[in-house]
Amino acid sequence: SYELTQPSSVSVSPGQTARITCSGDVLAKKYARWFQQKPGQAPVLVIYKDSERPSGIPERFSGSSSGTTVTLTISGAQVEDEADYYCYSAADNNLVFGGGTKLTVL
Amino acid sequence: EVQLVESGGVVVQPGGSLRLSCAASGFTFDDYAMHWVRQAPGKGLEWVSLISWDGGSTYYADSVKGRFTISRDNSKNSLYLQMNSLRAEDTALYYCARVNSGYDDAFDIWGQGTMVTVSS
């Protein structure tokens, strides 16, 4: 089975750049997606196909990929970006999520 | 407005059965594959099941294979999850989510979830 590994937490001050990584062998062959989830809310797609941004997502959200690691970057993080972030990918008609990263912006 | 609304979550005893529903509105339901994803209290997301746009193909996580059945009724714009032989570890908030091929088959719309609690 596939696994995706994320740091459990990342902390930045407002205006700084936040970087959240997601690692797993499947990422060398398959694209990653990123979700943002705020407490009590449904997840929101912020990045797909490693680095593409859905309509309506602020430009400060970006994604990149290198080998078996993908990175979500939030440039100039804002207080409202504080949330849990999950990566996920798909292979062999199975989907696997990373364990999630709690981003603190304060 | 594009919307997914889950229902059917309750408290059920171990070994029991339950059927969850997901009502879709604001879009052409049978244009989209659909998933169920769950989240145990205080835990991360776990994929449960996928169904193709026409119901012809279904896939399951190993943790639910043989116990859960995903289905859909496109005439009613509805998605279902039949859950049998429920276990304590199935306790979670269950989300339905839409697959968008324009976003490389990523989930672009999620419901608010329905809570299933398996407890005696």
Side-chain angles (χ1 to χ4, degrees):
Chain A
S1 63
Y2 301 101
E3 289 186 357
L4 295 176
T5 301
Q6 299 179 233
S8 58
S9 63
V10 169
S11 183
V12 298
S13 299
Q16 288 188 329
T17 296
R19 294 182 178 86
I20 301 172
T21 59
C22 173
S23 299
D25 290 343
V26 66
L27 298 178
K29 299 171 289 186
K30 299 294 184 179
Y31 290 120
R33 297 93 169 189
W34 289 94
F35 285 105
Q36 175 194 71
Q37 187 178 35
K38 296 181 178 179
Q41 298 184 20
V44 173
L45 180 68
V46 295
I47 293 289
Y48 68 99
K49 210 172 179 180
D50 287 347
S51 60
E52 299 292 324
R53 199 171 47 249
S55 59
I57 300 301
E59 290 185 6
R60 64 179 180 274
F61 288 88
S62 64
S64 61
S65 175
S66 179
T68 59
T69 298
V70 294
T71 301
L72 173 68
T73 300
I74 307 172
S75 303
Q78 309 200 353
V79 173
E80 59 262 34
D81 299 331
E82 186 164 290
D84 293 329
Y85 289 85
Y86 294 89
C87 62
Y88 91 91
S89 189
D92 300 333
N93 293 310
N94 273 274
L95 274 67
V96 59
F97 286 93
T101 299
K102 181 174 180 59
L103 174 65
T104 302
V105 183
L106 55 76
Chain B
E1 180 190 4
V2 175
Q3 197 172 11
L4 297 170
V5 179
E6 302 93 338
S7 62
V10 292
V11 178
V12 60
Q13 292 190 340
S17 296
L18 198 57
R19 189 174 88 151
L20 305 183
S21 299
C22 169
S25 59
F27 64 98
T28 304
F29 182 64
D30 57 11
D31 278 351
Y32 295 87
M34 298 291 296
H35 290 255
W36 287 99
V37 177
R38 67 186 181 184
Q39 187 169 32
K43 301 295 185 182
L45 299 166
E46 180 188 15
W47 173 70
V48 174
S49 186
L50 157 67
I51 189 166
S52 60
W53 68 273
D54 62 351
S57 298
T58 58
Y59 307 92
Y60 300 91
D62 288 343
S63 58
V64 306
K65 201 172 294 182
R67 300 187 299 122
F68 289 12
T69 302
I70 190 172
S71 62
R72 64 192 296 161
D73 185 338
N74 287 343
S75 69
K76 296 181 178 179
N77 292 337
S78 292
L79 174 73
Y80 305 103
L81 186 68
Q82 177 67 43
M83 309 165 67
N84 298 330
S85 303
L86 283 161
R87 307 166 180 167
E89 54 265 35
D90 296 319
T91 294
L93 187 63
Y94 284 75
Y95 294 102
C96 59
R98 185 181 83 168
V99 174
N100 192 325
S101 60
Y103 290 150
D104 188 45
D105 289 345
F107 305 145
D108 68 333
I109 302 294
W110 297 63
Q112 288 299 310
T114 186
M115 187 68 200
V116 173
T117 303
V118 183
S119 174
S120 54

